[in-house]
Amino acid sequence: MAEVEIVSVSKAFGKTQAVSGLSLTVGDGEFVALLGPTGAGKTTALRLIAGLEQLDSGSIRIDGRDMTAAAPADRDVAFVFQQYSLYPHLTVFENMAFALRAPTRRVAEADIRTKVQEVARLLHIETKLDNKATQLSGGQMQRVAIGRALVRSPSIYLMDEPLSSLDAKLRGELRLELKRIQVELGATILYVTHDQTEAMTMASRIGVIEGGRLMQIGTPREIYENPINAHVAARLGQPVINLLPAALFGSAPVGAATVGARTEHLTIARGSGDVSATVKRVEHLGDQSHLHLDLAGRPVVTLADPEAGFGAGDVVSLRLNKPLFFDANGWRVAA
Amino acid sequence: MNELSASSRITYRAVMVRPGVTRRIRGLSDRALAWLFITPTIVLLLAINIFPLLWTIYLSFTNYRANRSNVPTIWLGADWYQSILTDPDIWAAMQVTAHFVIWTVVIETVLGFGLAYLIDKKFRGHGMWTTIILLPMMLSPAVVGNFWTFLYQPQIGLFNYVVAFFTGRAASSFQMLGDVTLSPWAIVIVDAWMWTPYVMLICLAGLRSIPDYIYEAAEVDRASKWRQFWSITLPMALPFIMLAVLFRGIENFKMFDMVNLLTGGGPGSTTEVASITLKRAAFESWRTGYSSAFAIILFVTVFGLANIYVKALNKVKSR
């Protein structure tokens, strides 16, 4: 395990600037998640670190050594691909042993066996070792793909949306397991995802990336509570933060153009008040309900207790409770 | 008034026709419709494939001669089969065929896969090169046979000239088509020239089916190019290679046109592949019963070998 440091890295594909001026340090034993929408440049950033793409400018240091121009094999990184990327004609065991059998590593066959079995137990696939890689379910394939990275002890594990192709239940399970394994091994992980839940639950720090640029990096709490702009604020929180004109509400600080109100920033009461809205639709999710409101022609989505018994057509009053404020360009304004 | 009656007549007709058509279409069940569509094909297959095959089997047990249809046909049992399988000339023809099939398949597979591997590297202009390489395959075997006869011509042939240029031997000192040791190779060269592109095309499809990220994973796993080739490229392209071998093997077992044009089986019988022997027996000696029996033997041989091979292919594919 080691520290990975990338400094103002840029990469363009033709006319598309995939990554621009990205700087990021992943500390030893840290779990950093890069969160962003599709096409934000997350995967490109990961591939640049792995050496699968050549960068246009900037530098990459792994464990203190300059790796900017090194071949993928020399960087001592492990990569978990989104599409599993298993060797289909090999067994699970052979897939996991593949990297260890590289002649440059000189690992004894007995040690390989011990190591693979150890990792397989960790991932609960020890009974599948003799199966062909293609005879597994999606969840098992992804475990093998992760296992193939884990048998090595690389400087850093680079994971490209490894759970995105799994169903929700399995994703939840593997999320917990991955975090457990990371803590157990003290592994350094850079994890790319567009799923805020994965980023929030696993990462020690989250980097929010948008249009090839790193917008903000910090602990999940920092990012959630103190987003530097409306983009970052919109990345986290379920339902998505409501961005409303500040003029709709009375007391806004100087320069604030937009109010960002998540569920916890809104107090709802029956009957009309200073700011009134109409209930358009109620989605019952069981333990809670999504309340779709109409506030002077603008949609507002918030959570409500199902016991509150709101129905379509009801008039409610809204009160803000320490919301976030943004200026006309979307940058944060102190309350 | 007149206008109105005209338009009402049209409406009336439309109403009358519609239910009739619908009923006729509705009257056919899906199954009946399916039979309707495939019956012509089945009839055609029966007429030009199955019936001749059965008829040939029958003829192979008789003394029938196509040029003496008035002679009464006598049932001979398995006599022809016995005499064919013990005939040294037939075994010589089978050996010539085996030599031709094995060498063409080996050369075409090695060269075809090699070319596909190079083309797959996607260098500049690889599309144009693919087209150029595929050209021989698009020619008719008759054309190929004819112009290779010219290329092999000892005095003016380009092939002899090129060999002479590189080896220093006189161009007219050897005859590719007239020499007993060279002519079996002459037909192998022409077939390889013509059909290597075909094998390349199939291999290329196989290579293109291997996703890039598998190579990337191997790259990160520190697999050398050599190891990537042996543990990823070759095993994953193998079903395609085997398919190409199957197609070429069957085709060349039946090879007739190109060889017939180039050498006609000569000199002597050094390039007399089985189908030429068959044609001579059937249409020069008019031994219809005998040649029918030989045709059945060839058919069973190809069919048997192909079946064993397909089993092996399926095994590889299911890995």
Side-chain angles (χ1 to χ4, degrees):
Chain A
M1 292 299 126
E3 189 180 86
V4 172
E5 191 184 0
I6 64 177
V7 185
S8 52
V9 163
S10 294
K11 170 74 181 174
F13 295 104
K15 283 189 177 138
T16 319
Q17 191 68 37
V19 172
S20 42
L22 182 72
S23 295
L24 175 73
T25 304
V26 184
D28 194 5
E30 204 182 8
F31 192 132
V32 174
L34 284 181
L35 179 67
T38 308
K42 308 168 301 228
T43 299
T44 308
L46 214 56
R47 291 171 60 86
L48 284 168
I49 298 171
L52 295 172
E53 304 286 355
Q54 290 302 307
L55 43 73
D56 296 338
S57 63
S59 68
I60 295 169
R61 297 177 74 80
I62 298 173
D63 200 10
R65 276 171 302 142
D66 183 35
M67 288 290 178
T68 312
D74 302 328
R75 297 196 182 200
D76 195 28
V77 297
F79 203 106
V80 178
F81 292 81
Q82 190 176 358
Q83 321 88 329
Y84 318 133
S85 191
L86 301 180
Y87 308 119
H89 53 286
L90 300 182
T91 64
V92 170
F93 181 88
E94 288 166 332
N95 260 285
M96 290 173 69
F98 192 88
L100 296 177
R101 283 180 174 156
T104 52
R105 281 190 223 282
R106 293 202 193 82
V107 184
E109 198 57 36
D111 295 341
I112 292 177
R113 185 153 286 280
T114 320
K115 187 74 198 170
V116 169
Q117 275 164 350
E118 183 191 316
V119 172
R121 260 195 301 280
L122 201 64
L123 288 163
H124 308 303
I125 46 172
E126 65 268 37
T127 55
K128 303 286 178 192
L129 284 175
D130 294 327
N131 286 38
K132 284 276 184 260
T134 43
Q135 296 166 344
L136 303 175
S137 66
Q140 289 165 341
M141 282 205 224
Q142 198 54 57
R143 278 166 211 259
V144 176
I146 293 169
R148 204 171 55 177
L150 290 180
V151 292
R152 296 169 45 193
S153 304
S155 302
I156 186 167
Y157 296 99
L158 304 169
M159 303 196 176
D160 184 9
E161 310 214 19
L163 309 184
S164 65
S165 40
L166 307 178
D167 63 62
K169 182 171 172 287
L170 212 54
R171 203 156 55 222
E173 278 173 28
L174 271 180
R175 207 167 60 208
L176 281 173
E177 272 178 54
L178 205 56
K179 185 62 192 170
R180 170 178 63 85
I181 291 163
Q182 190 256 335
V183 172
E184 235 167 84
L185 301 177
T188 311
I189 297 181
L190 182 57
Y191 188 101
V192 156
T193 183
H194 64 259
D195 180 342
Q196 50 167 310
T197 318
E198 284 177 19
M200 289 293 275
T201 53
M202 291 191 286
S204 34
R205 281 194 300 153
I206 297 176
V208 178
I209 198 165
E210 185 103 28
R213 293 176 186 281
L214 188 64
M215 295 247 157
Q216 187 177 2
I217 184 157
T219 63
R221 236 191 130 83
E222 278 166 23
I223 301 274
Y224 185 80
E225 290 173 2
N226 269 318
I228 59 155
N229 62 23
H231 270 306
V232 176
R235 276 281 120 215
L236 295 174
Q238 196 51 261
V240 179
I241 192 165
N242 297 292
L243 296 168
L244 301 161
L248 283 175
F249 302 90
S251 56
V254 185
T258 313
V259 177
R262 292 199 175 103
T263 293
E264 64 269 29
H265 302 136
L266 287 169
T267 313
I268 305 171
R270 271 183 192 285
S272 55
D274 294 342
V275 182
S276 300
T278 321
V279 177
K280 292 300 241 187
R281 197 149 47 89
V282 182
E283 288 178 311
H284 291 289
L285 303 175
D287 58 334
Q288 53 193 14
S289 300
H290 271 169
L291 220 52
H292 295 257
L293 305 175
D294 179 79
L295 174 60
R298 293 174 183 278
V300 174
V301 185
T302 184
L303 290 176
D305 193 337
E307 302 291 316
F310 288 114
D314 290 358
V315 175
V316 294
S317 71
L318 289 178
R319 206 153 42 78
L320 291 175
N321 176 26
K322 292 186 204 155
L324 308 171
F325 293 102
F326 303 99
D327 68 13
N329 294 319
W331 295 97
R332 186 75 183 283
V333 176
Chain B
M1 187 66 210
N2 211 3
E3 245 170 51
L4 185 72
S5 76
S7 81
S8 68
R9 191 159 61 237
I10 288 164
T11 321
Y12 181 62
R13 264 199 190 155
V15 169
M16 280 302 282
V17 168
R18 238 159 205 264
V21 171
T22 335
R23 201 177 310 132
R24 226 180 304 145
I25 292 171
R26 278 215 196 107
L28 282 174
S29 65
D30 282 357
R31 182 159 279 272
L33 205 62
W35 276 108
L36 192 70
F37 284 142
I38 61 171
T39 302
T41 313
I42 289 180
V43 168
L44 209 65
L45 272 177
L46 283 173
I48 66 175
N49 273 338
I50 306 301
F51 170 73
L53 178 65
L54 295 176
W55 191 241
T56 308
I57 292 175
Y58 162 71
L59 289 181
S60 73
F61 294 107
T62 68
N63 71 339
Y64 180 76
R65 280 166 169 266
N67 63 338
R68 288 179 214 166
S69 47
N70 50 348
V71 173
T73 305
I74 301 166
W75 182 262
L76 294 177
D79 281 8
W80 290 135
Y81 289 89
Q82 200 180 2
S83 67
I84 288 166
L85 292 175
T86 52
D87 184 348
D89 287 347
I90 292 289
W91 285 107
M94 292 302 255
Q95 265 177 356
V96 171
T97 310
H99 176 275
F100 178 70
V101 170
I102 290 168
W103 280 107
T104 49
V105 167
V106 166
I107 292 169
E108 283 162 26
T109 308
V110 171
L111 286 182
F113 184 78
L115 283 172
Y117 192 75
L118 292 179
I119 292 282
D120 190 43
K121 294 293 162 213
K122 300 197 178 94
F123 52 87
R124 264 173 77 97
H126 70 271
M128 186 192 70
W129 280 106
T130 313
T131 313
I132 290 175
I133 292 170
L134 290 182
L135 279 176
M137 196 180 94
M138 301 173 193
L139 300 173
S140 138
V143 173
V144 171
N146 265 324
F147 81 61
W148 271 91
T149 317
F150 289 113
L151 291 177
Y152 280 146
Q153 225 281 337
Q155 274 82 37
I156 56 159
L158 192 64
F159 183 87
N160 283 45
Y161 174 79
V162 169
V163 172
F165 184 84
F166 283 108
T167 61
R169 285 176 62 176
S172 53
S173 68
F174 63 98
Q175 294 188 17
M176 285 305 286
L177 298 176
D179 188 291
V180 285
T181 52
L182 290 180
S183 56
W185 295 103
I187 56 173
V188 168
I189 290 170
V190 177
D191 193 79
W193 176 83
M194 187 169 177
W195 291 109
T196 295
Y198 176 78
V199 178
M200 181 199 82
L201 206 59
I202 296 179
C203 289
L204 192 60
L207 292 175
R208 291 268 159 89
S209 74
I210 307 173
D212 283 345
Y213 53 75
I214 297 222
Y215 289 111
E216 291 179 340
E219 197 79 29
V220 174
D221 280 347
R222 287 196 193 170
S224 60
K225 290 280 177 232
W226 183 250
R227 187 161 177 238
Q228 286 180 26
F229 178 81
W230 287 105
S231 58
I232 298 171
T233 313
L234 203 57
M236 288 183 76
L238 193 59
F240 290 84
I241 299 172
M242 288 181 73
L243 208 60
V245 167
L246 176 71
F247 290 157
R248 288 316 304 150
I250 291 178
E251 273 299 299
N252 278 358
F253 201 92
K254 310 183 300 184
M255 168 52 67
F256 175 76
D257 40 15
M258 193 264 291
V259 172
N260 193 46
L261 266 163
L262 274 174
T263 65
S269 57
T270 46
T271 60
E272 194 176 305
V273 290
S275 59
I276 291 185
T277 312
L278 186 63
K279 172 227 159 194
R280 284 185 175 166
F283 302 109
E284 284 170 21
S285 323
W286 294 102
R287 301 166 71 191
T288 311
Y290 173 87
S291 53
S292 294
F294 189 30
I296 295 300
I297 289 171
L298 288 179
F299 171 72
V300 169
T301 311
V302 177
F303 193 74
L305 288 176
N307 260 307
I308 295 168
Y309 188 85
V310 167
K311 285 219 170 69
L313 178 65
N314 285 335
K315 222 178 200 170
V316 169
K317 266 164 89 180
S318 67
R319 284 188 318 172

